[in-house]
């Protein structure tokens, strides 16, 4: 399950933010960010500001409207500097979980049936979860 996370990064007196997705424990993700940023800065402190389970796909939608605030660190692209991070964070906390509707579930079921026929394995029942 993909989770969306939002980090505050303080590095050598600079403050910026990272939006990302992970399927791992946050401790592992934070350690990776620490390693990545430490290549470019000597002192790095990271604060976890939020994690939203099953919202990994939101990252792409997040990056588009906030493109003007992107803070590139060479090849690292998921960092941002916001004039009002509280507003950004509030928007993330207000987003609702997108559960698939019946039409989407039916399309997923149809795809599985078609795929099973193409691949030669039988599907006796599609179970909605």
């Amino acid at each position: 399950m993909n989770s969306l996370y939002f980090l505050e990064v303080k590095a050598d007196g600079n403050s910026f933010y990272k939006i990302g997705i992970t399927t791992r424990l946050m401790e592992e993700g934070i350690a990776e960010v620490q390693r990545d940023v430490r290549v470019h800065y000597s002192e790095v402190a990271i604060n976890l500001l939020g994690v939203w389970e099953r919202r990994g796909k939101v990252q792409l939608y997040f990056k588009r409207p906030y493109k003007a605030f992107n803070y590139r660190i060479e090849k690292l692209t998921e960092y941002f500097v916001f004039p009002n991070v509280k507003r950004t964070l509030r928007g993330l906390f207000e987003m609702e979980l997108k559960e698939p509707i019946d039409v989407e579930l039916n399309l997923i079921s149809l795809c599985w049936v078609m795929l099973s026929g193409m691949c030669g394995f039988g599907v006796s029942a599609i179970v909605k979860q």
Side-chain angles (χ1 to χ4, degrees):
M1 165 174 23
N2 286 340
S3 295
L4 181 75
Y5 64 86
F6 193 69
L7 304 174
E8 176 186 47
V9 180
K10 293 186 178 189
D12 295 348
N14 298 303
S15 290
F16 45 93
Y17 302 88
K18 178 172 180 11
I19 185 83
I21 56 174
T22 190
T23 56
R24 301 177 293 173
L25 296 173
M26 277 312 307
E27 293 80 9
E28 295 172 12
I30 289 172
E32 180 182 7
V33 171
Q34 181 109 19
R35 282 190 305 272
D36 289 348
V37 174
R38 196 168 289 260
V39 170
H40 306 282
Y41 297 92
S42 58
E43 291 186 34
V44 178
I46 298 176
N47 297 310
L48 177 63
L49 300 180
V51 177
W52 299 269
E53 292 183 7
R54 298 178 14 213
R55 290 181 179 83
K57 293 180 180 179
V58 172
Q59 180 193 27
L60 295 175
Y61 298 107
F62 180 91
K63 289 173 82 171
R64 192 172 304 138
Y66 292 107
K67 185 178 181 179
F69 304 112
N70 187 244
Y71 180 73
R72 289 186 65 103
I73 307 171
E74 292 188 18
K75 293 181 180 181
L76 306 176
T77 62
E78 298 170 346
Y79 294 87
F80 298 85
V81 175
F82 298 107
N84 186 344
V85 72
K86 288 182 182 181
R87 181 183 306 149
T88 305
L89 199 52
R90 184 173 48 244
L92 288 168
F93 275 108
E94 290 174 353
M95 86 178 136
E96 295 181 21
L97 179 61
K98 166 69 171 89
E99 293 289 349
I101 59 174
D102 285 340
V103 170
E104 294 166 323
L105 290 171
N106 290 337
L107 284 172
I108 291 168
S109 297
L110 178 62
C111 288
W112 273 109
V113 169
M114 291 173 61
L115 184 61
S116 69
M118 291 170 39
C119 295
F121 61 88
V123 176
S124 58
I126 304 293
V127 179
K128 291 183 184 179
Q129 295 182 0

